[in-house]
Amino acid sequence: MKFTFRIKYRTVWGESLRVMINDEEENSLALFTRNGDEWQGTFNAELPDTPDIVSYRYGVFRNGVCIRKEIGAIPHFIIKGNAQLNHCIINDCWRDLPTNNHLYSSSFNNIPHSEHPRILPDSIGSCITFRALCPALRHKVQELGLIGNCDSLGNWEHCRPLKMQEIYPCVWQITIDASTLKFPFEYKFVAISSKTGAVEKWEEGNNRVFNTQPLLRGETYFTKESEIFNSDSGKKLAGSAIPVFSLRSEGGFGIGDFGDLKKYIDWAAFTHQKAVQILPINDTTKDYSWNDSYPYSSISIYAFNPIYIDVRQLPALKDSNKAQEYERMRISLNSLPQIDYEKVYKVKRSLLNDIFEQEGNRILSSDGFSDFFTKNKDWLKPYAVFSYLRDIYGTPDFYRWPEYSIYNANDTERLCAEGSAAYHKITFYYFLQYILHIQLLDTANHARMKGVILKGDIPIGISRGSVEAWVEPYYFNMNGQAGAPPDAFSTNGQNWGFPTYNWEVMEKDNYLWWRRRFAKMSEYFTAYRIDHILGFFRIWEIPTHSVHGLLGQFVPAIPMSADEIKGFGLNFNEELMTEPFINDYMLNVIFGDKSDDVRTIFVEKTHDDIYKMKREFDTQRKIEAYFGGKNDKESISMKEGLYSLISDVLFVRDRKNPAVYHPRICAQNDYIYRQLNWHEQEAFNRLYEHYFYHRHNEFWYAEAMKKLPVLTQSTPMLVCGEDLGMVPECVSWVMNYLQILSLEIQRMPKDPKDEFGQLQNYPLLSVCTIGTHDMSTLRGYWKENPSITERYYHHELDHWGDVPAEAPGWLCKDILKRHLSSPSLLCIPTWQDWTSIDEKLRNPDIETERINIPANPHHYWRWRMHISIENLMKEDSFNEEIIKLIEESGR
């Protein structure tokens, strides 16, 4: 079979263009050019035996290495059966992401494609294949068609267009016998009724003209792909955000589950919402305590938390006495205003274990489980063994295990063998994950059927005590801690404790670890939020000896030499500027009447009134260990004060090369900065501005573009990025190019000149909300800072008179209405902020509605809805108000 590929693409000296069949770089086909702009190549090639459709992409190569390739989830396609003639002539355009790429995502195209390509008969002498990308048709109601000015194309008669085939979601083709066409001819793409076949919508613009000379016998000509009907960005949507654990139902177990999520989706659809956003749902089980409530510290990126199993969907216990006792405990736990995580997990796990003993053999021998196990065993078996060993040794910290601390695949196979002593306990975890899979899949399919986007959450980090850290340690840097620099959430920064990623190793297999993770998620979700998308540009890495985040540095980053620092006009002194500055004044101000205790126990004098930390207390971790579990107010105050002494430096040494340096984040707020004279302060400020806001833009852009194009286009899910915090300019470059939806929050404006975000200026490709799980609710925010509230009320909302002490329903409704009217594609307020508009319905206890406090690394995540979903469905006035708000906003 002969193939000729033609494409226009401007290259520079030393670059060449190649065609990669099925994305295979090693066996790519080299094209040739005479002018560096028009490329062509003819090859005798055999297409792969399967499947019926073969994909290909173009790539730019230099010295045999692919340095750039077409991105996007949709490659080019050839239908093998229609390429059975002697010669295929393929005309292409380089394609990255199509216009309004979100319309091609599974959020807007959630009907699986199942149409098989039509094959032309062998007797045809030559033919033309017309190709188009079209995302905007109404599913099951419209299809794409072709119509033109000759009889075989329908003679422009609206009832005679040719129906095209959707060979892949949003990809349409039709192959026509060239002998039936009269050259040259005119044509258009049209939307046709699936029922009648008649034209319902015409392609805008001038008629297309086909001028190519008649084809030779045995030739198939492929037209350039056209983007059709995607100039309209689609209807903006509204939704709500709520964690699964916060859901409450009449038959619940004291915590939300996947069955409750299905009910909540029904309520969302009933009130005309088109999106439901949840927090991470992966297994976080470490010690079976309330600490496991933190959803961003999972022990597996694949396994779900067993606490989310809906036991109502499982077979009833045959032991009636046990069943009655469990029901009594369920009712008690479900009556609690907040989650009692430890009791819920203990009771629910016991019940699940009893059901496993009763039904496990039957379920694990089913065809459904067999299929699930075959597809998931690569992660399921290590996870089950990890969970078994965690239970035996009482900790997920595998490096503390007396045996199996270093992962060995043979050990896993031996423990998972049917005759092993551990087999029964290991299969319990198989059972749990299979039940979770079928329940979440059922809920996900229900959301698709209802036309509701189910939006998941991908945490940026993994736990140190996790399956992935145990099985694949080479992907991680275990000697650092991931976190975030100081921001509105935490003045000392956030220390999440997660290991950072070894991106150099991940790049070698084209980020396979991430692609597998995203692929698993796409089985259930049609959209996802990338938690802390800034981590794909650079991560804030904190040394393991630190508790707070102030002594961290961005990784990767370009450190500064002593000479470069001096070049900004600052007389750099390594000893004075990289070691903590401590004097009597600081000790008196920070510790008051306890300052002498600090002088006696923790510091030693070096000269005059200058001190240094004693060696046994010279890191924050050593201070933390000294105070142990002391949680009284005095101990906490003393400990935090000592932490601040240790972080009182102007520069931190580079993690790999101690001879180069990074300016310490927010050093201007500390005592050492105040010791500089005004000239030195101005020099440091110039250096600081350059380093944090200008120095790395191109560098971090390149880092992100290595990863994000591969990852975001590896699945059809709609991609949303959480881009809050200290955001460099390059982040918007990448997100705009890849059409990743940004997160817009009025109280955290992107423009530093604004105190409040300007709703009318939000970009289309964004998710707008009033607040997130890391923030106070709208009503909580209203009470936090009276001066900010006053400016917001009078200057931003343009209301007159006295500022209400608490946000009344009419005001919450006004704020919500303004957000719904923004240009953002998605408006997804939290459920708490939706209910704030109804003074009779909303929770009178404002503080309990807050989900997380980022400044507290040991926060208990336990908020629950104060009414059940069943009763929520009966709140006619409230539900009608939501419908009205959404409809009036045009969403």
Side-chain angles (χ1 to χ4, degrees):
M1 178 54 126
K2 185 188 294 185
F3 293 89
T4 296
F5 293 92
R6 297 172 180 167
I7 186 171
K8 285 188 176 183
Y9 187 87
R10 184 171 295 279
T11 56
V12 299
W13 180 258
E15 293 180 344
S16 63
L17 221 60
R18 289 175 172 263
V19 179
M20 297 172 288
I21 306 294
N22 289 339
D23 249 352
E24 294 182 6
E25 295 181 14
E26 293 182 0
N27 300 317
S28 56
L29 309 175
L31 304 182
F32 301 92
T33 183
R34 293 181 178 178
N35 56 11
D37 187 24
E38 297 178 346
W39 293 82
Q40 179 172 315
T42 299
F43 313 94
N44 289 307
E46 291 295 328
L47 294 177
D49 292 336
T50 55
D52 293 334
I53 301 173
V54 177
S55 68
Y56 66 96
R57 296 180 191 267
Y58 291 92
V60 179
F61 286 71
R62 181 188 290 275
N63 297 325
V65 177
C66 184
I67 60 173
R68 186 167 58 256
K69 67 172 67 174
E70 292 178 302
I71 63 173
I74 304 175
H76 307 279
F77 292 102
I78 300 172
I79 299 178
K80 288 175 57 179
N82 290 344
Q84 58 188 321
L85 303 177
N86 296 333
H87 187 190
C88 290
I89 303 169
I90 302 171
N91 284 266
D92 276 318
C93 294
W94 181 279
R95 190 177 77 235
D96 284 332
L97 298 181
T99 304
N100 291 320
N101 184 57
H102 62 276
L103 296 177
Y104 294 82
S105 71
S106 53
S107 289
F108 291 84
N109 290 277
N110 55 22
I111 307 298
H113 170 73
S114 61
E115 189 173 6
H116 293 287
R118 285 194 298 267
I119 308 301
L120 291 177
D122 295 338
S123 59
I124 292 179
S126 60
C127 52
I128 301 172
T129 296
F130 296 87
R131 302 183 291 170
L133 304 180
C134 182
L137 300 177
R138 291 178 288 137
H139 284 292
K140 296 186 178 180
V141 178
Q142 286 183 328
E143 296 171 284
L144 195 63
L146 191 73
I147 195 168
N149 66 347
C150 55
D151 188 65
S152 59
L153 295 179
N155 270 332
W156 300 122
E157 296 176 22
H158 82 283
C159 59
R160 292 183 54 207
L162 300 181
K163 175 189 169 184
M164 301 181 70
Q165 283 188 285
E166 191 176 15
I167 63 168
Y168 186 85
C170 306
V171 179
W172 299 79
Q173 288 190 10
I174 185 171
T175 301
I176 300 174
D177 184 348
S179 66
T180 65
L181 302 168
K182 184 177 180 180
F183 296 85
F185 58 86
E186 298 180 359
Y187 66 98
K188 276 183 179 291
F189 294 99
V190 290
I192 64 176
S193 167
S194 299
K195 184 176 181 180
T196 67
V199 175
E200 293 188 337
K201 184 176 181 180
W202 294 76
E203 178 187 7
E204 295 179 354
N206 295 330
N207 296 338
R208 297 173 182 267
V209 180
F210 191 95
N211 286 314
T212 303
Q213 294 299 314
L215 303 174
L216 299 176
R217 183 171 183 81
E219 289 184 340
T220 304
Y221 184 91
F222 288 73
T223 65
K224 293 179 180 178
E225 292 158 323
S226 302
E227 296 182 22
I228 309 298
F229 300 139
N230 66 347
S231 58
D232 181 3
S233 59
K235 189 174 182 179
K236 298 183 298 178
L237 307 177
S240 55
I242 191 168
V244 173
F245 59 75
S246 299
L247 298 171
R248 180 191 291 268
S249 68
E250 295 299 322
F253 220 105
I255 194 169
D257 56 43
F258 289 160
D260 293 334
L261 180 58
K262 189 175 182 179
K263 290 183 174 70
Y264 186 86
I265 289 167
D266 283 334
W267 172 76
F270 177 69
T271 53
H272 294 196
Q273 298 179 59
K274 294 296 182 181
V276 169
Q277 177 177 322
I278 63 174
L279 294 185
I281 51 176
N282 295 97
D283 191 358
T284 57
T285 309
K286 297 181 178 66
D287 59 7
Y288 299 98
S289 76
W290 66 265
N291 290 302
D292 295 344
S293 69
Y294 180 35
Y296 286 90
S297 181
S298 66
I299 63 166
S300 170
I301 62 172
Y302 301 108
F304 299 127
N305 197 325
I307 207 166
Y308 295 134
I309 289 178
D310 179 5
V311 296
R312 292 164 291 189
Q313 298 183 43
L314 300 179
L317 280 181
K318 296 176 182 178
D319 186 327
S320 59
N321 292 330
K322 273 190 174 184
Q324 290 175 10
E325 179 60 18
Y326 281 127
E327 177 63 9
R328 184 191 66 78
M329 290 187 286
R330 182 200 69 77
I331 293 172
S332 175
L333 291 169
N334 203 38
S335 67
L336 298 176
Q338 293 183 301
I339 299 166
D340 188 330
Y341 199 92
E342 292 181 21
K343 285 185 178 179
V344 168
Y345 203 103
K346 180 180 179 181
V347 175
K348 206 166 185 180
R349 182 181 172 89
S350 176
L351 172 57
L352 289 168
N353 190 71
D354 285 344
I355 294 174
F356 171 69
E357 294 298 333
Q358 175 182 295
E359 305 287 341
N361 289 337
R362 179 183 63 81
I363 291 175
L364 295 184
S365 61
S366 67
D367 292 340
F369 174 77
S370 178
D371 181 61
F372 168 77
F373 184 80
T374 300
K375 293 177 179 178
N376 296 275
K377 61 184 178 182
D378 288 345
W379 66 263
L380 182 60
K381 292 165 80 172
Y383 161 77
V385 169
F386 179 92
S387 300
Y388 164 73
L389 295 173
R390 173 206 58 207
D391 294 345
I392 287 179
Y393 299 128
T395 177
D397 299 331
F398 51 86
Y399 42 86
R400 293 167 51 194
W401 294 347
E403 289 185 276
Y404 308 108
S405 61
I406 298 176
Y407 178 77
N408 183 293
N410 292 330
D411 289 339
T412 294
E413 291 300 322
R414 180 173 53 80
L415 290 169
C416 291
E418 192 165 347
S420 79
Y423 180 73
H424 186 69
K425 291 184 178 180
I426 285 174
T427 56
F428 175 56
Y429 291 102
Y430 294 172
F431 166 80
L432 295 178
Q433 290 306 310
Y434 175 58
I435 298 300
L436 287 159
H437 164 73
I438 58 177
Q439 289 190 359
L440 181 57
L441 189 62
D442 176 63
T443 296
N445 289 334
H446 184 69
R448 290 184 174 94
M449 184 186 69
K450 290 285 187 178
V452 174
I453 295 170
L454 186 57
K455 182 182 176 188
D457 195 330
I458 295 184
I460 185 62
I462 66 151
S463 173
R464 290 179 178 278
S466 67
V467 181
E468 285 72 37
W470 181 50
V471 175
E472 303 165 308
Y474 43 84
Y475 281 137
F476 311 101
N477 297 314
M478 303 300 289
N479 57 353
Q481 306 174 98
D487 56 20
F489 299 131
S490 177
T491 56
N492 290 320
Q494 298 178 54
N495 185 349
W496 303 322
F498 307 140
T500 57
Y501 293 109
N502 188 338
W503 290 114
E504 293 177 356
V505 172
M506 288 185 162
E507 185 179 9
K508 292 178 181 178
D509 60 16
N510 201 26
Y511 309 102
L512 179 63
W513 186 88
W514 282 98
R515 288 187 286 120
R516 286 174 175 168
R517 184 180 188 183
F518 281 38
K520 181 63 178 174
M521 198 167 187
S522 69
E523 294 180 23
Y524 314 99
F525 298 99
T526 52
Y528 64 96
R529 166 188 178 270
I530 301 179
D531 171 48
H532 195 65
I533 196 172
L534 305 182
F536 291 90
F537 295 75
R538 78 295 186 270
I539 197 71
W540 188 248
E541 183 171 303
I542 303 161
T544 53
H545 58 69
S546 292
V547 174
H548 287 166
L550 290 173
L551 293 175
Q553 57 190 257
F554 285 124
V555 177
I558 307 171
M560 308 182 80
S561 67
D563 288 341
E564 189 176 5
I565 294 171
K566 292 175 182 177
F568 281 87
L570 186 64
N571 187 20
F572 180 72
N573 183 307
E574 180 183 13
E575 183 178 357
L576 295 179
M577 294 183 175
T578 62
E579 298 296 330
F581 173 80
I582 307 171
N583 64 9
D584 278 323
Y585 173 76
M586 288 174 58
L587 297 177
N588 293 333
V589 170
I590 296 174
F591 300 101
D593 60 1
K594 298 295 181 182
S595 60
D596 285 340
D597 293 342
V598 174
R599 291 182 181 92
T600 301
I601 301 173
F602 299 103
V603 301
E604 58 187 33
K605 182 175 285 190
T606 58
H607 62 86
D608 300 324
D609 71 335
I610 305 301
Y611 300 82
K612 69 176 182 179
M613 301 298 296
K614 290 182 178 178
R615 187 171 183 180
E616 59 268 36
F617 301 114
D618 61 357
T619 72
Q620 292 179 348
R621 290 295 179 196
K622 291 178 180 179
I623 296 294
E624 181 183 50
Y626 174 82
F627 283 92
K630 296 179 181 178
N631 292 317
D632 59 283
K633 188 175 181 180
E634 186 175 296
S635 296
I636 292 174
S637 177
M638 175 78 75
K639 180 172 61 174
E640 291 295 326
L642 292 168
Y643 288 164
S644 69
L645 294 183
I646 292 170
S647 61
D648 189 31
V649 299
L650 271 184
F651 293 89
V652 294
R653 294 180 177 90
D654 184 70
R655 61 198 269 272
K656 289 185 176 180
N657 181 2
V660 288
Y661 314 91
H662 307 264
R664 204 216 78 187
I665 192 81
C666 294
Q668 294 93 330
N669 299 331
D670 243 321
Y671 288 92
I672 190 170
Y673 176 78
R674 299 171 206 164
Q675 304 307 307
L676 303 177
N677 61 44
W678 70 269
H679 176 76
E680 292 171 324
Q681 287 184 354
E682 286 193 350
F684 183 80
N685 290 343
R686 288 194 303 273
L687 177 152
Y688 188 95
E689 173 76 13
H690 164 76
Y691 178 88
F692 283 112
Y693 296 100
H694 304 291
R695 181 182 184 89
H696 297 95
N697 270 323
E698 296 291 343
F699 178 62
W700 286 337
Y701 173 85
E703 288 296 314
M705 287 300 291
K706 291 178 184 177
K707 315 173 187 94
L708 286 175
V710 176
L711 305 183
T712 59
Q713 301 308 313
S714 63
T715 76
M717 293 185 291
L718 180 67
V719 188
C720 308
E722 183 266 286
D723 55 337
L724 304 178
M726 194 173 184
V727 184
E729 188 179 1
C730 60
V731 173
S732 63
W733 303 347
V734 173
M735 292 182 69
N736 290 339
Y737 177 69
L738 297 177
Q739 300 185 45
I740 299 172
L741 273 62
S742 63
L743 179 60
E744 305 295 333
I745 299 176
Q746 196 170 27
R747 69 178 92 165
M748 293 188 70
K750 299 288 176 63
D751 190 333
K753 298 190 297 296
D754 295 330
E755 182 176 15
F756 307 106
Q758 300 302 299
L759 298 174
Q760 71 276 10
N761 295 331
Y762 284 175
L764 169 69
L765 295 182
S766 67
V767 179
C768 113
T769 187
I770 298 171
T772 73
H773 61 277
D774 281 331
M775 302 176 181
S776 54
T777 62
L778 172 56
R779 291 191 294 150
Y781 173 68
W782 195 260
K783 300 180 68 175
E784 283 180 350
N785 189 315
S787 62
I788 293 177
T789 300
E790 187 276 329
R791 291 194 297 275
Y792 184 56
Y793 183 75
H794 287 139
H795 303 299
E796 187 62 32
L797 300 179
D798 202 26
H799 289 302
W800 294 79
D802 295 337
V803 179
E806 293 191 1
W810 67 264
L811 181 63
C812 295
K813 177 181 172 181
D814 176 45
I815 294 170
L816 190 60
K817 188 173 183 179
R818 292 170 189 246
H819 281 74
L820 288 167
S821 298
S822 75
S824 298
L825 181 67
L826 301 179
C827 180
I828 307 182
T830 62
W831 182 83
Q832 303 96 300
D833 288 343
W834 273 113
T835 59
S836 70
I837 69 175
D838 190 320
E839 295 186 12
K840 295 181 180 179
L841 176 66
R842 66 191 193 182
N843 193 333
D845 189 346
I846 297 175
E847 294 306 315
T848 60
E849 288 196 316
R850 178 154 189 174
I851 297 172
N852 180 40
I853 301 175
N856 177 11
H858 303 294
H859 182 74
Y860 191 173
W861 300 57
R862 60 187 313 202
W863 170 71
R864 295 183 75 196
M865 299 168 65
H866 62 287
I867 63 171
S868 68
I869 301 171
E870 290 88 347
N871 287 331
L872 183 65
M873 291 288 289
K874 300 174 185 177
E875 292 289 336
D876 296 338
S877 176
F878 172 64
N879 293 330
E880 289 170 6
E881 191 62 45
I882 292 180
I883 294 171
K884 182 180 177 182
L885 285 169
I886 292 174
E887 288 183 345
E888 288 180 347
S889 71
R891 293 185 179 272

